[in-house]
Amino acid sequence: MSEPTAAGWRPMEAGDIPALMALSATVHPTFFEGEAMFLDRLALFPEGSLVLPLGDGSLAAYALGYPVRRFAPPPLDTVLGQLPPEADALYIHDVAVDPRWRGRKLAEPAVARLLALAEPYGAAVLVSVYGTPPFWSRFGFRAVDDPALRSKLASYGEDAVFMLRETAPAR
Ligand SMILES: CC(C)(COP(=O)(O)OP(=O)(O)OC[C@H]1O[C@@H](n2cnc3c(N)ncnc32)[C@H](O)[C@@H]1OP(=O)(O)O)[C@@H](O)C(=O)NCCC(=O)NCCS
């Protein structure tokens, strides 16, 4: 196994998904998402699916983003089948780094890539969990506390915070 570097991110392939799910189970033990969800996002928006491989077939990190309606994050573990035609934000579904490799700024290039993909939509949104708002605020995200959003966040747990990084008004 080689040490991961920030330059090692590459587009995800379907063959990465078993390793991705193994890492997801480590990072998110209480949020299971199945292979069908990952295959769905890879098919719908491959440019937003990124992995940071180790040399042995496992992954040090992955990142997943795709277009959505700005205040409508999809529930966890849902197959979408198609992207919303009126998308006005890029949703950062997940950025996950193996605990062994955290604190080395490995996530940064993937976040930067997803923010570049968000530009045509005028915003990036995400649901922050595990107390990560300070991490996301580094990239210009701010928390949005809207009662209408609270029910949509129910499946993400009590510490879920909806965050927005807006570069153009909503359509
Ligand atoms: C959030 C996450 C993607 C950041 O990735 P990263 O490459 O470690 O990011 P950074 O190196 O920039 O570190 C971010 C912060 O993590 C903390 N950190 C540092 N070393 C750490 C370690 N060994 N273990 C855990 N956290 C650590 C620090 O507070 C750091 O903030 P700082 O800029 O003030 O030093 C990663 O911590 C992760 O996968 N967390 C679990 C999944 C998650 O919460 N994803 C986001 C869901 S919305």
Side-chain angles (χ1 to χ4, degrees), residues 27-28 94-97 99 101-107 126-130 132 135-136 138:
V27 174
H28 301 298
D94 197 7
V95 176
V97 177
W101 306 112
R102 287 183 193 160
R104 300 174 176 219
K105 306 249 183 292
L106 289 175
L126 58 86
V127 180
S128 165
V129 289
Y130 316 137
T132 51
F135 171 78
W136 294 111
R138 253 174 45 199

Side-chain angles (χ1 to χ4, degrees), residues 88-161:
D88 59 1
L90 185 115
Y91 179 55
I92 300 186
H93 180 117
D94 197 7
V95 176
V97 177
D98 186 306
R100 288 173 294 173
W101 306 112
R102 287 183 193 160
R104 300 174 176 219
K105 306 249 183 292
L106 289 175
E108 266 191 16
V111 175
R113 176 78 188 121
L114 294 177
L115 294 182
L117 291 170
E119 278 302 315
Y121 301 98
V125 291
L126 58 86
V127 180
S128 165
V129 289
Y130 316 137
T132 51
F135 171 78
W136 294 111
S137 62
R138 253 174 45 199
F139 298 95
F141 285 87
R142 64 179 174 83
V144 177
D145 185 17
D146 182 319
L149 276 166
R150 276 184 215 138
S151 61
K152 294 202 173 84
L153 301 192
S155 63
Y156 290 83
E158 296 220 327
D159 64 351
V161 178

Side-chain angles (χ1 to χ4, degrees), residues 24-25 56 78 140:
S24 178
D56 61 357
T78 311

Side-chain angles (χ1 to χ4, degrees), residues 7-50:
W9 285 94
R10 66 159 169 79
M12 187 191 300
E13 296 161 8
D16 294 317
I17 289 178
L20 189 156
M21 289 180 68
L23 178 54
S24 178
T26 302
V27 174
H28 301 298
T30 60
F31 299 129
F32 175 79
E33 297 198 277
E35 183 181 26
M37 187 286 289
F38 292 108
L39 281 169
D40 178 65
R41 302 311 192 273
L42 180 58
L44 292 176
F45 198 69
E47 55 272 60
S49 301
L50 307 167

